[in-house]
Amino acid sequence: MAEIRCTQKIGPGLYVVATPIGNLADLSTRARHVLENVDLIACEDTRVSGMLLTSYLIKKPLVPYHDHNAARERPKLLAAIAEGKAVALISDAGTPLISDPGYKLVAEAQDAGHYVTAIPGACAAITALSMAGLPTDRFIFLGFPPVKTKARQDWFTAEAGLEASLVFYESAKRLPDCMQDAFTALGPRPAAVCRELTKKFEEVRRGTLEELAAHYAEAGAPKGEVVVVIGGAEHYKSSETTELETTQILKVALEHMSVKTAAAFVAELTGARKKDVYNQALELSGASGA
Ligand code: SAM
């Protein structure tokens, strides 16, 4: 069998190229071919991307394109494409546009009628889903959570009814507080902390949010980069949800919602009878008059 080679002709246009998230060997054959043949490469940090390109012996002009200069640089990149140049967009790691800059550049290139294509590859969120051992038939990617406790708990609570796995990025140093807030808002759902994916110290720690919150409270913030996957609301629908668990969820819900909303929400989540949950919510909130 012949060795796989990429012979794609690289004409004018925008090439959105995924790069590795740790393991440098994860650059695809086509990604390498495109980066070798474009006229210039727009990247977040020229030092970070310079190292990747050096390791592949690729020498191309690098243009910084990040949140702080995008408005200024975008017209220049579009003008270069209009002049017939092939421009690649990469980010520091993984798939551009996924919690990284680029969507406005893609939109404007599309609107201008330029050729736009993507070279798929590594993405931390998808890699985490591949390893977490949680349902992947429905998932929602949430980006990064807010950094303050109240905002973060509200952010989780807003997704509490969703029957889909929740996937998000978090800085390692905020992970202990984040897991505690996730447990407070969502209860003891199954979850996985996926760390240093594709790298030497790759680790997937699975457990309920309660167990994971306790672990990181004790062990402290881990090192490296982290993706968290949390099971969706369907995990509460089983008949295994005990009365005790229902009460615990209800208590948390009552901290954030009215009695009526909390009762409806918890009944939906646990499959318990609405009327029973409502009566219990009245009791717990002290509004029953009993
Ligand atoms: N565009 C990238 C992608 O496709 O995954 C994500 C960029 S986002 C600014 C960076 C975040 O992705 C990190 O803070 C971390 O949460 C996650 N991440 C990136 N690489 C990772 C890795 N090797 N292991 C775990 N998480 C990673």
Side-chain angles (χ1 to χ4, degrees), residues 18-23 44 91-101 121-128 141 143-144 168-172 194-199 224-228:
T19 57
I21 56 169
N23 188 325
E44 286 182 272
S91 53
D92 283 352
T95 301
L97 279 76
I98 306 302
S99 288
D100 271 334
C123 172
I126 300 298
T127 310
F141 174 64
F144 284 90
F168 59 92
Y169 294 154
E170 181 55 298
S171 90
C194 307
R195 197 171 66 82
E196 292 291 87
L197 298 170
T198 77
K199 302 185 201 174
E225 296 189 286
V226 168
V227 185
V228 182

CSV table of all heavy atoms in Angstrom, one decimal, residues 18-23 44 91-101 121-128 141 143-144 168-172 194-199 224-228, ligand 1:
chain,number,residue,atom,x,y,z
A,18,ALA,N,-7.1,22.8,12.7
A,18,ALA,CA,-7.0,22.3,14.0
A,18,ALA,C,-5.5,21.8,14.3
A,18,ALA,O,-4.9,21.2,13.4
A,18,ALA,CB,-7.9,21.1,14.3
A,19,THR,N,-5.0,22.2,15.4
A,19,THR,CA,-3.6,21.8,15.8
A,19,THR,C,-3.7,20.9,17.1
A,19,THR,O,-4.8,20.8,17.7
A,19,THR,CB,-2.8,23.0,16.0
A,19,THR,OG1,-3.4,23.8,17.1
A,19,THR,CG2,-2.6,23.8,14.8
A,20,PRO,N,-2.6,20.2,17.5
A,20,PRO,CA,-2.7,19.3,18.7
A,20,PRO,C,-3.1,20.1,20.0
A,20,PRO,O,-2.8,21.3,20.1
A,20,PRO,CB,-1.3,18.8,18.7
A,20,PRO,CG,-0.7,18.9,17.3
A,20,PRO,CD,-1.3,20.2,16.8
A,21,ILE,N,-3.6,19.3,20.9
A,21,ILE,CA,-3.9,19.9,22.3
A,21,ILE,C,-2.9,19.4,23.3
A,21,ILE,O,-3.1,19.5,24.5
A,21,ILE,CB,-5.3,19.5,22.7
A,21,ILE,CG1,-5.5,18.0,22.7
A,21,ILE,CG2,-6.4,20.2,21.9
A,21,ILE,CD1,-6.8,17.5,23.4
A,22,GLY,N,-1.8,18.9,22.8
A,22,GLY,CA,-0.7,18.4,23.7
A,22,GLY,C,0.3,17.6,23.0
A,22,GLY,O,1.5,17.9,23.0
A,23,ASN,N,-0.2,16.5,22.4
A,23,ASN,CA,0.7,15.6,21.8
A,23,ASN,C,0.9,16.0,20.3
A,23,ASN,O,0.0,16.1,19.5
A,23,ASN,CB,0.0,14.2,21.7
A,23,ASN,CG,1.0,13.1,21.2
A,23,ASN,OD1,1.8,13.4,20.3
A,23,ASN,ND2,0.9,11.9,21.8
A,44,GLU,N,-3.0,32.9,17.5
A,44,GLU,CA,-3.2,33.7,18.7
A,44,GLU,C,-1.8,34.3,19.2
A,44,GLU,O,-1.7,35.4,19.4
A,44,GLU,CB,-3.8,32.8,19.8
A,44,GLU,CG,-5.2,32.5,19.6
A,44,GLU,CD,-5.7,31.6,20.8
A,44,GLU,OE1,-5.6,30.4,20.7
A,44,GLU,OE2,-6.2,32.2,21.8
A,91,SER,N,-5.2,28.2,16.3
A,91,SER,CA,-5.2,28.8,17.7
A,91,SER,C,-4.0,28.1,18.5
A,91,SER,O,-3.3,27.3,17.9
A,91,SER,CB,-6.5,28.6,18.4
A,91,SER,OG,-6.9,27.2,18.4
A,92,ASP,N,-3.8,28.5,19.7
A,92,ASP,CA,-2.7,28.0,20.5
A,92,ASP,C,-2.7,26.5,20.5
A,92,ASP,O,-1.7,25.8,20.5
A,92,ASP,CB,-2.7,28.5,22.0
A,92,ASP,CG,-2.2,30.0,22.0
A,92,ASP,OD1,-1.7,30.5,21.0
A,92,ASP,OD2,-2.3,30.6,23.1
A,93,ALA,N,-4.0,25.9,20.6
A,93,ALA,CA,-4.1,24.5,20.7
A,93,ALA,C,-5.5,24.1,20.3
A,93,ALA,O,-6.5,24.8,20.6
A,93,ALA,CB,-3.8,24.0,22.1
A,94,GLY,N,-5.6,23.0,19.6
A,94,GLY,CA,-7.0,22.5,19.3
A,94,GLY,C,-7.7,23.1,18.1
A,94,GLY,O,-7.0,23.6,17.2
A,95,THR,N,-9.0,23.1,18.2
A,95,THR,CA,-9.8,23.6,17.0
A,95,THR,C,-10.1,25.1,17.2
A,95,THR,O,-10.6,25.5,18.2
A,95,THR,CB,-11.1,22.8,17.0
A,95,THR,OG1,-10.8,21.4,16.8
A,95,THR,CG2,-12.0,23.3,15.8
A,96,PRO,N,-9.7,25.9,16.2
A,96,PRO,CA,-10.0,27.3,16.3
A,96,PRO,C,-11.5,27.5,16.4
A,96,PRO,O,-12.3,26.7,16.0
A,96,PRO,CB,-9.5,27.9,15.0
A,96,PRO,CG,-8.4,26.9,14.5
A,96,PRO,CD,-8.9,25.6,15.0
A,97,LEU,N,-11.9,28.7,17.0
A,97,LEU,CA,-13.3,29.0,17.2
A,97,LEU,C,-14.0,28.3,18.4
A,97,LEU,O,-15.0,28.7,18.8
A,97,LEU,CB,-14.2,28.8,16.0
A,97,LEU,CG,-14.1,29.8,14.8
A,97,LEU,CD1,-12.9,29.7,14.0
A,97,LEU,CD2,-15.3,29.7,13.9
A,98,ILE,N,-13.4,27.2,18.9
A,98,ILE,CA,-14.0,26.6,20.0
A,98,ILE,C,-13.3,27.2,21.3
A,98,ILE,O,-12.2,26.8,21.6
A,98,ILE,CB,-13.8,25.0,20.0
A,98,ILE,CG1,-14.2,24.4,18.7
A,98,ILE,CG2,-14.5,24.3,21.2
A,98,ILE,CD1,-15.7,24.7,18.3
A,99,SER,N,-14.1,28.1,21.9
A,99,SER,CA,-13.5,28.9,23.0
A,99,SER,C,-12.2,29.6,22.6
A,99,SER,O,-11.3,29.8,23.4
A,99,SER,CB,-13.3,28.1,24.3
A,99,SER,OG,-14.5,27.8,24.9
A,100,ASP,N,-12.1,29.9,21.3
A,100,ASP,CA,-11.0,30.6,20.7
A,100,ASP,C,-11.4,31.6,19.7
A,100,ASP,O,-12.6,31.4,19.2
A,100,ASP,CB,-10.0,29.5,20.1
A,100,ASP,CG,-9.0,29.0,21.1
A,100,ASP,OD1,-8.7,29.8,22.1
A,100,ASP,OD2,-8.5,27.9,20.9
A,101,PRO,N,-10.6,32.5,19.3
A,101,PRO,CA,-11.0,33.5,18.3
A,101,PRO,C,-11.2,32.9,16.9
A,101,PRO,O,-10.7,31.8,16.6
A,101,PRO,CB,-9.8,34.5,18.2
A,101,PRO,CG,-8.9,34.1,19.3
A,101,PRO,CD,-9.2,32.7,19.7
A,121,GLY,N,-9.5,18.3,13.5
A,121,GLY,CA,-8.5,17.6,14.3
A,121,GLY,C,-8.8,17.7,15.8
A,121,GLY,O,-10.0,17.6,16.1
A,122,ALA,N,-7.8,17.8,16.6
A,122,ALA,CA,-7.9,17.7,18.0
A,122,ALA,C,-8.9,18.8,18.6
A,122,ALA,O,-8.8,19.9,18.1
A,122,ALA,CB,-6.6,17.8,18.7
A,123,CYS,N,-9.7,18.4,19.5
A,123,CYS,CA,-10.5,19.4,20.3
A,123,CYS,C,-10.6,18.8,21.7
A,123,CYS,O,-11.0,17.7,21.8
A,123,CYS,CB,-11.8,19.6,19.6
A,123,CYS,SG,-13.0,20.5,20.6
A,124,ALA,N,-10.3,19.6,22.7
A,124,ALA,CA,-10.3,19.1,24.1
A,124,ALA,C,-11.7,18.6,24.5
A,124,ALA,O,-11.8,17.6,25.2
A,124,ALA,CB,-9.7,20.1,25.0
A,125,ALA,N,-12.7,19.3,24.1
A,125,ALA,CA,-14.1,18.9,24.5
A,125,ALA,C,-14.4,17.6,24.0
A,125,ALA,O,-15.0,16.7,24.7
A,125,ALA,CB,-15.1,20.0,24.1
A,126,ILE,N,-14.1,17.3,22.7
A,126,ILE,CA,-14.5,16.1,22.1
A,126,ILE,C,-13.6,14.9,22.6
A,126,ILE,O,-14.1,13.8,22.8
A,126,ILE,CB,-14.4,16.2,20.5
A,126,ILE,CG1,-15.3,17.3,20.0
A,126,ILE,CG2,-14.7,14.9,19.8
A,126,ILE,CD1,-16.8,17.1,20.2
A,127,THR,N,-12.4,15.2,22.8
A,127,THR,CA,-11.5,14.2,23.4
A,127,THR,C,-11.9,13.8,24.8
A,127,THR,O,-12.0,12.6,25.1
A,127,THR,CB,-10.0,14.8,23.5
A,127,THR,OG1,-9.7,15.4,22.2
A,127,THR,CG2,-9.0,13.7,23.8
A,128,ALA,N,-12.4,14.8,25.6
A,128,ALA,CA,-12.9,14.5,26.9
A,128,ALA,C,-14.2,13.6,26.8
A,128,ALA,O,-14.3,12.6,27.5
A,128,ALA,CB,-13.2,15.8,27.6
A,141,PHE,N,-22.0,21.9,24.9
A,141,PHE,CA,-20.7,22.5,25.2
A,141,PHE,C,-20.9,23.9,25.8
A,141,PHE,O,-21.6,24.8,25.1
A,141,PHE,CB,-19.8,22.6,24.0
A,141,PHE,CG,-18.5,23.3,24.2
A,141,PHE,CD1,-17.6,22.8,25.2
A,141,PHE,CD2,-18.2,24.5,23.6
A,141,PHE,CE1,-16.4,23.5,25.4
A,141,PHE,CE2,-17.0,25.2,23.8
A,141,PHE,CZ,-16.1,24.7,24.7
A,143,GLY,N,-18.5,26.1,27.1
A,143,GLY,CA,-17.3,27.1,27.2
A,143,GLY,C,-16.8,27.1,28.6
A,143,GLY,O,-16.6,26.0,29.3
A,144,PHE,N,-16.4,28.3,29.1
A,144,PHE,CA,-15.9,28.4,30.5
A,144,PHE,C,-17.0,28.9,31.5
A,144,PHE,O,-17.7,29.8,31.1
A,144,PHE,CB,-14.7,29.4,30.5
A,144,PHE,CG,-13.4,28.9,30.0
A,144,PHE,CD1,-13.2,29.1,28.6
A,144,PHE,CD2,-12.5,28.3,30.8
A,144,PHE,CE1,-11.9,28.6,28.1
A,144,PHE,CE2,-11.3,27.8,30.3
A,144,PHE,CZ,-11.0,28.0,28.9
A,168,PHE,N,-17.6,21.3,29.7
A,168,PHE,CA,-17.1,22.7,29.8
A,168,PHE,C,-15.6,22.7,30.1
A,168,PHE,O,-15.0,21.7,30.6
A,168,PHE,CB,-17.9,23.6,30.8
A,168,PHE,CG,-17.9,23.0,32.2
A,168,PHE,CD1,-16.9,23.4,33.1
A,168,PHE,CD2,-18.8,22.1,32.6
A,168,PHE,CE1,-16.9,23.0,34.4
A,168,PHE,CE2,-18.9,21.6,33.9
A,168,PHE,CZ,-17.9,22.1,34.8
A,169,TYR,N,-14.9,23.8,29.8
A,169,TYR,CA,-13.5,24.0,30.2
A,169,TYR,C,-13.4,24.7,31.5
A,169,TYR,O,-14.3,25.5,31.8
A,169,TYR,CB,-12.9,24.9,29.1
A,169,TYR,CG,-12.8,24.2,27.7
A,169,TYR,CD1,-12.7,25.0,26.5
A,169,TYR,CD2,-12.7,22.8,27.6
A,169,TYR,CE1,-12.6,24.4,25.3
A,169,TYR,CE2,-12.6,22.2,26.3
A,169,TYR,CZ,-12.6,23.0,25.2
A,169,TYR,OH,-12.5,22.4,23.9
A,170,GLU,N,-12.4,24.4,32.3
A,170,GLU,CA,-12.2,25.2,33.5
A,170,GLU,C,-10.7,25.3,33.8
A,170,GLU,O,-9.9,24.4,33.4
A,170,GLU,CB,-12.9,24.4,34.7
A,170,GLU,CG,-12.8,25.1,36.0
A,170,GLU,CD,-13.3,26.6,36.1
A,170,GLU,OE1,-12.7,27.4,35.4
A,170,GLU,OE2,-14.2,26.9,36.8
A,171,SER,N,-10.3,26.4,34.4
A,171,SER,CA,-8.9,26.5,34.8
A,171,SER,C,-8.7,25.5,36.0
A,171,SER,O,-9.5,25.4,36.9
A,171,SER,CB,-8.5,27.9,35.1
A,171,SER,OG,-8.7,28.1,36.5
A,172,ALA,N,-7.5,24.9,36.0
A,172,ALA,CA,-7.2,23.9,37.1
A,172,ALA,C,-7.3,24.6,38.4
A,172,ALA,O,-7.8,24.0,39.4
A,172,ALA,CB,-5.9,23.3,36.8
A,194,CYS,N,-11.4,15.5,33.2
A,194,CYS,CA,-10.5,15.0,32.2
A,194,CYS,C,-9.3,16.0,32.1
A,194,CYS,O,-9.5,17.1,31.7
A,194,CYS,CB,-11.2,14.8,30.8
A,194,CYS,SG,-12.7,13.9,30.9
A,195,ARG,N,-8.1,15.5,32.4
A,195,ARG,CA,-7.0,16.4,32.6
A,195,ARG,C,-5.8,16.0,31.7
A,195,ARG,O,-5.6,14.9,31.5
A,195,ARG,CB,-6.6,16.3,34.1
A,195,ARG,CG,-5.7,17.4,34.6
A,195,ARG,CD,-5.6,17.3,36.1
A,195,ARG,NE,-4.9,16.1,36.5
A,195,ARG,CZ,-3.5,16.0,36.5
A,195,ARG,NH1,-2.8,17.0,36.2
A,195,ARG,NH2,-3.0,14.9,36.9
A,196,GLU,N,-5.1,17.0,31.2
A,196,GLU,CA,-3.9,16.8,30.5
A,196,GLU,C,-4.1,15.8,29.3
A,196,GLU,O,-3.2,14.9,29.1
A,196,GLU,CB,-2.8,16.4,31.4
A,196,GLU,CG,-2.3,17.4,32.4
A,196,GLU,CD,-1.6,18.6,31.7
A,196,GLU,OE1,-2.3,19.5,31.3
A,196,GLU,OE2,-0.3,18.5,31.6
A,197,LEU,N,-5.2,16.0,28.6
A,197,LEU,CA,-5.5,15.1,27.5
A,197,LEU,C,-4.4,15.0,26.5
A,197,LEU,O,-3.9,16.0,26.1
A,197,LEU,CB,-6.8,15.5,26.9
A,197,LEU,CG,-8.0,15.4,27.9
A,197,LEU,CD1,-9.3,16.0,27.3
A,197,LEU,CD2,-8.3,14.0,28.4
A,198,THR,N,-4.1,13.8,26.0
A,198,THR,CA,-3.1,13.5,25.0
A,198,THR,C,-1.7,13.7,25.5
A,198,THR,O,-0.7,13.5,24.8
A,198,THR,CB,-3.3,14.2,23.7
A,198,THR,OG1,-2.8,15.6,23.8
A,198,THR,CG2,-4.7,14.2,23.2
A,199,LYS,N,-1.5,14.1,26.8
A,199,LYS,CA,-0.2,14.4,27.3
A,199,LYS,C,0.3,13.3,28.2
A,199,LYS,O,-0.4,12.4,28.5
A,199,LYS,CB,-0.2,15.8,28.1
A,199,LYS,CG,-0.6,16.9,27.2
A,199,LYS,CD,-0.5,18.2,28.0
A,199,LYS,CE,-1.4,19.3,27.5
A,199,LYS,NZ,-1.4,20.5,28.3
A,224,GLY,N,-2.1,21.5,35.3
A,224,GLY,CA,-2.4,21.3,33.9
A,224,GLY,C,-3.8,21.8,33.4
A,224,GLY,O,-4.3,22.8,34.0
A,225,GLU,N,-4.3,21.2,32.4
A,225,GLU,CA,-5.5,21.7,31.7
A,225,GLU,C,-6.6,20.7,31.9
A,225,GLU,O,-6.4,19.5,32.0
A,225,GLU,CB,-5.2,21.9,30.2
A,225,GLU,CG,-4.2,23.0,30.0
A,225,GLU,CD,-4.1,23.3,28.5
A,225,GLU,OE1,-3.6,22.4,27.7
A,225,GLU,OE2,-4.6,24.3,28.1
A,226,VAL,N,-7.8,21.3,32.0
A,226,VAL,CA,-8.9,20.4,32.5
A,226,VAL,C,-10.2,20.6,31.6
A,226,VAL,O,-10.5,21.8,31.3
A,226,VAL,CB,-9.3,20.8,33.9
A,226,VAL,CG1,-10.6,20.2,34.4
A,226,VAL,CG2,-8.1,20.4,34.8
A,227,VAL,N,-10.9,19.5,31.3
A,227,VAL,CA,-12.2,19.6,30.8
A,227,VAL,C,-13.1,18.8,31.8
A,227,VAL,O,-12.7,17.7,32.2
A,227,VAL,CB,-12.3,18.9,29.4
A,227,VAL,CG1,-13.7,19.1,28.8
A,227,VAL,CG2,-11.3,19.5,28.4
A,228,VAL,N,-14.3,19.3,32.0
A,228,VAL,CA,-15.2,18.6,32.9
A,228,VAL,C,-16.5,18.1,32.1
A,228,VAL,O,-17.0,18.9,31.3
A,228,VAL,CB,-15.7,19.5,34.1
A,228,VAL,CG1,-16.6,18.7,35.0
A,228,VAL,CG2,-14.5,20.0,34.9
B,1,SAM,N1,-9.8,25.5,21.0
B,1,SAM,C1,-9.4,24.6,22.0
B,1,SAM,C2,-10.0,23.1,21.7
B,1,SAM,O1,-10.3,22.9,20.6
B,1,SAM,O2,-10.0,22.4,22.7
B,1,SAM,C3,-9.7,25.0,23.4
B,1,SAM,C4,-9.2,26.4,23.7
B,1,SAM,S1,-9.6,27.0,25.3
B,1,SAM,C5,-9.0,28.6,25.3
B,1,SAM,C6,-8.4,26.2,26.3
B,1,SAM,C7,-9.1,25.2,27.3
B,1,SAM,O3,-9.2,24.0,26.7
B,1,SAM,C8,-8.2,24.9,28.5
B,1,SAM,O4,-8.3,25.9,29.5
B,1,SAM,C9,-8.7,23.6,29.0
B,1,SAM,O5,-9.9,23.7,29.7
B,1,SAM,C10,-9.0,22.9,27.6
B,1,SAM,N2,-7.9,22.1,27.1
B,1,SAM,C11,-7.1,22.4,26.1
B,1,SAM,N3,-6.1,21.4,26.0
B,1,SAM,C12,-6.4,20.5,26.9
B,1,SAM,C13,-5.8,19.3,27.3
B,1,SAM,N4,-4.8,18.8,26.7
B,1,SAM,N5,-6.4,18.6,28.3
B,1,SAM,C14,-7.5,19.0,29.0
B,1,SAM,N6,-8.0,20.2,28.7
B,1,SAM,C15,-7.5,20.9,27.7
